[in-house]
Amino acid sequence: MLLDCANNTKNLFVRDGAQISTTTSGPGDAGALTINASESVQLIGTSNSTLDNSQKRSVVSAATSGTGKGGTLTVDTKNLLVRDGAAISTSTTGAGDAGSLTVNASESVQLIGTSNNGQFLSVLRADTSSQGKGGTLTVDTTNLLVREGATISALTAGEGNAGNILLRVKDSIILTKDGGLFANTTEGSTGKGGDIFIYPQTLTISDGATISVNSQGRGTGGQIQLQADSLTLDNGTISAETASTDGGDITLDVQDLLLLRNGSQISTTAGTERAGGNGGNLEINTGSIVAIPQENSDITANAFTGDGGQILINTQSSPTI
């Protein structure tokens, strides 16, 4: 039997290892989980350590481990905060496809930090580790902040294709202090890497933060598409990399300025294990590109044994690199 669950409140707090979830482990589809909180949703931290030092993270989730489809998970609120190792997730560990994860936060989404012991990242995720496809992860908000190791991810560790990430942000996206967006596949997987679509006014990637569609298995890499007024990388990375197959493409449409600082990288690479595969293409359309010569920032499209991808840069003024 499929049951839907809806939670309506002004503020929702999930903390210290508490969980809200819908699951299926058989042939039936899981029910939908919807949270409506007019002011805020906050997921914080993990449970206190037990005698064996294990912890449980604070979680809102919809999952399947059987042949049935995972349920959809929707969060509607003004402000969403996920911090200190908490998670909002849809996932599949079976043959059924994972459900989609949708966050509608009219003012802000913040993902911050890890658990105290470093075991858990604060995360929004739609993952697959088996045959089922990963779900689509969508965020609609005004401002998005991901920092201190927190992530938004659509990962696959099995045969299923990774899901896609879609970010529609009215003002700014800030990824900083090792935060990131990942639609990756792991070593030994065969599924295709997911795609990342990003639509803010401004995007800043700094202090080791990353946007990645890397494929470390046998599946092809996903693509990254960005449309923004400005893009700043300050010791930041945008990458589409595969271990042995064809790399994914990166397309950056930046109306005003693309700024690279302090060893930033924009790259498509294929054949990281010196195996075959062609590098993905890299297209940049922008008003101008600025990079400081002494700071070793690079834009590259490489392949070890196959063909390197094409780099196409269209600017309204001469780039400074």
Short mmCIF file of all heavy atoms in Angstrom, two decimals, residues 16 44-49 53 55 57 83-86 112-122:
data_model
loop_
_atom_site.label_atom_id
_atom_site.label_comp_id
_atom_site.label_asym_id
_atom_site.label_seq_id
_atom_site.Cartn_x
_atom_site.Cartn_y
_atom_site.Cartn_z
N ASP A 16 19.65 16.12 16.84
CA ASP A 16 20.18 15.12 17.76
C ASP A 16 19.86 13.69 17.33
O ASP A 16 19.58 12.81 18.15
CB ASP A 16 19.66 15.35 19.19
CG ASP A 16 20.05 16.72 19.73
OD1 ASP A 16 21.10 17.22 19.33
OD2 ASP A 16 19.26 17.29 20.51
N ILE A 44 19.66 19.58 12.36
CA ILE A 44 20.91 19.92 13.03
C ILE A 44 21.50 18.69 13.70
O ILE A 44 20.84 18.03 14.50
CB ILE A 44 20.69 21.03 14.08
CG1 ILE A 44 20.11 22.29 13.42
CG2 ILE A 44 21.99 21.36 14.81
CD1 ILE A 44 19.74 23.39 14.38
N GLY A 45 22.73 18.39 13.37
CA GLY A 45 23.56 17.50 14.15
C GLY A 45 23.24 16.03 14.09
O GLY A 45 22.52 15.53 13.21
N THR A 46 23.81 15.31 15.06
CA THR A 46 23.70 13.87 15.18
C THR A 46 23.32 13.52 16.60
O THR A 46 23.29 14.36 17.49
CB THR A 46 25.04 13.20 14.82
OG1 THR A 46 26.05 13.66 15.75
CG2 THR A 46 25.47 13.53 13.40
N SER A 47 23.04 12.22 16.82
CA SER A 47 22.77 11.75 18.17
C SER A 47 24.05 11.77 18.98
O SER A 47 25.16 11.82 18.46
CB SER A 47 22.22 10.32 18.11
OG SER A 47 23.19 9.46 17.54
N ASN A 48 23.89 11.74 20.30
CA ASN A 48 25.06 11.64 21.17
C ASN A 48 25.74 10.30 20.96
O ASN A 48 25.10 9.29 20.65
CB ASN A 48 24.64 11.77 22.64
CG ASN A 48 24.13 13.16 22.95
OD1 ASN A 48 24.59 14.15 22.38
ND2 ASN A 48 23.17 13.25 23.86
N SER A 49 27.05 10.26 21.14
CA SER A 49 27.81 9.02 20.95
C SER A 49 27.35 7.96 21.95
O SER A 49 27.09 8.24 23.12
CB SER A 49 29.31 9.29 21.13
OG SER A 49 29.78 10.18 20.17
N ASN A 53 30.75 4.53 20.21
CA ASN A 53 31.08 5.80 19.54
C ASN A 53 30.36 5.99 18.20
O ASN A 53 30.74 6.83 17.41
CB ASN A 53 32.60 5.91 19.31
CG ASN A 53 33.35 6.09 20.61
OD1 ASN A 53 32.89 6.79 21.50
ND2 ASN A 53 34.49 5.42 20.72
N GLN A 55 27.18 7.17 15.80
CA GLN A 55 26.23 8.26 15.84
C GLN A 55 25.19 8.07 14.75
O GLN A 55 25.45 7.44 13.73
CB GLN A 55 26.94 9.60 15.64
CG GLN A 55 27.86 10.00 16.78
CD GLN A 55 28.48 11.36 16.55
OE1 GLN A 55 28.74 11.75 15.42
NE2 GLN A 55 28.71 12.10 17.62
N ARG A 57 22.66 10.41 12.31
CA ARG A 57 22.48 11.78 11.88
C ARG A 57 21.00 12.15 11.91
O ARG A 57 20.12 11.30 11.81
CB ARG A 57 23.05 11.97 10.47
CG ARG A 57 22.28 11.26 9.41
CD ARG A 57 23.04 11.10 8.09
NE ARG A 57 23.72 12.27 7.64
CZ ARG A 57 24.59 12.28 6.63
NH1 ARG A 57 24.85 11.15 5.98
NH2 ARG A 57 25.17 13.39 6.25
N ARG A 83 22.71 21.46 8.99
CA ARG A 83 24.07 21.71 9.49
C ARG A 83 24.54 20.58 10.41
O ARG A 83 23.77 19.76 10.87
CB ARG A 83 24.15 23.04 10.21
CG ARG A 83 23.37 23.17 11.50
CD ARG A 83 23.69 24.51 12.16
NE ARG A 83 25.12 24.65 12.38
CZ ARG A 83 25.75 25.83 12.48
NH1 ARG A 83 25.07 26.96 12.36
NH2 ARG A 83 27.05 25.87 12.70
N ASP A 84 25.86 20.56 10.61
CA ASP A 84 26.51 19.68 11.58
C ASP A 84 26.24 18.20 11.31
O ASP A 84 26.04 17.40 12.24
CB ASP A 84 26.10 20.03 13.01
CG ASP A 84 26.43 21.48 13.36
OD1 ASP A 84 27.36 22.03 12.75
OD2 ASP A 84 25.76 22.05 14.24
N GLY A 85 26.21 17.82 10.01
CA GLY A 85 26.10 16.41 9.65
C GLY A 85 24.70 15.91 9.38
O GLY A 85 24.51 14.72 9.13
N ALA A 86 23.70 16.77 9.40
CA ALA A 86 22.32 16.36 9.11
C ALA A 86 22.13 16.17 7.60
O ALA A 86 22.98 16.59 6.80
CB ALA A 86 21.34 17.40 9.65
N ILE A 112 25.73 23.65 6.06
CA ILE A 112 26.92 24.08 6.77
C ILE A 112 27.55 22.92 7.53
O ILE A 112 26.89 22.26 8.34
CB ILE A 112 26.60 25.23 7.76
CG1 ILE A 112 25.97 26.42 7.03
CG2 ILE A 112 27.85 25.66 8.52
CD1 ILE A 112 25.46 27.51 7.95
N GLY A 113 28.81 22.65 7.28
CA GLY A 113 29.63 21.84 8.15
C GLY A 113 29.42 20.34 8.11
O GLY A 113 28.72 19.79 7.25
N THR A 114 30.05 19.68 9.07
CA THR A 114 30.02 18.23 9.24
C THR A 114 29.67 17.92 10.69
O THR A 114 29.57 18.80 11.53
CB THR A 114 31.39 17.61 8.90
OG1 THR A 114 32.36 18.06 9.87
CG2 THR A 114 31.84 18.02 7.50
N SER A 115 29.48 16.62 10.97
CA SER A 115 29.28 16.21 12.36
C SER A 115 30.56 16.44 13.16
O SER A 115 31.65 16.60 12.60
CB SER A 115 28.88 14.74 12.42
OG SER A 115 29.87 13.92 11.81
N ASN A 116 30.43 16.42 14.47
CA ASN A 116 31.58 16.72 15.33
C ASN A 116 32.75 15.78 15.10
O ASN A 116 33.91 16.19 15.17
CB ASN A 116 31.16 16.67 16.81
CG ASN A 116 30.26 17.83 17.19
OD1 ASN A 116 30.32 18.89 16.57
ND2 ASN A 116 29.43 17.64 18.20
N ASN A 117 32.45 14.51 14.81
CA ASN A 117 33.53 13.55 14.58
C ASN A 117 33.96 13.47 13.12
O ASN A 117 34.81 12.66 12.76
CB ASN A 117 33.12 12.16 15.08
CG ASN A 117 31.94 11.57 14.32
OD1 ASN A 117 31.43 12.19 13.38
ND2 ASN A 117 31.50 10.39 14.73
N GLY A 118 33.34 14.29 12.25
CA GLY A 118 33.70 14.29 10.84
C GLY A 118 33.14 13.14 10.03
O GLY A 118 33.43 13.02 8.84
N GLN A 119 32.30 12.30 10.64
CA GLN A 119 31.77 11.12 9.95
C GLN A 119 30.73 11.48 8.90
O GLN A 119 30.64 10.85 7.85
CB GLN A 119 31.15 10.16 10.97
CG GLN A 119 30.59 8.88 10.36
CD GLN A 119 30.00 7.95 11.40
OE1 GLN A 119 30.02 8.25 12.60
NE2 GLN A 119 29.49 6.81 10.96
N PHE A 120 29.93 12.50 9.16
CA PHE A 120 28.83 12.86 8.28
C PHE A 120 28.99 14.28 7.76
O PHE A 120 29.31 15.20 8.52
CB PHE A 120 27.49 12.75 9.01
CG PHE A 120 27.18 11.39 9.54
CD1 PHE A 120 27.05 11.17 10.91
CD2 PHE A 120 27.00 10.32 8.68
CE1 PHE A 120 26.75 9.93 11.40
CE2 PHE A 120 26.71 9.06 9.16
CZ PHE A 120 26.58 8.85 10.53
N LEU A 121 28.70 14.46 6.47
CA LEU A 121 28.61 15.78 5.88
C LEU A 121 27.16 16.26 5.95
O LEU A 121 26.23 15.48 5.85
CB LEU A 121 29.03 15.73 4.40
CG LEU A 121 30.36 15.09 4.05
CD1 LEU A 121 30.53 15.10 2.53
CD2 LEU A 121 31.50 15.79 4.73
N SER A 122 26.96 17.55 6.10
CA SER A 122 25.63 18.12 5.92
C SER A 122 25.31 18.07 4.43
O SER A 122 26.11 18.52 3.61
CB SER A 122 25.60 19.56 6.42
OG SER A 122 25.96 19.62 7.79
#
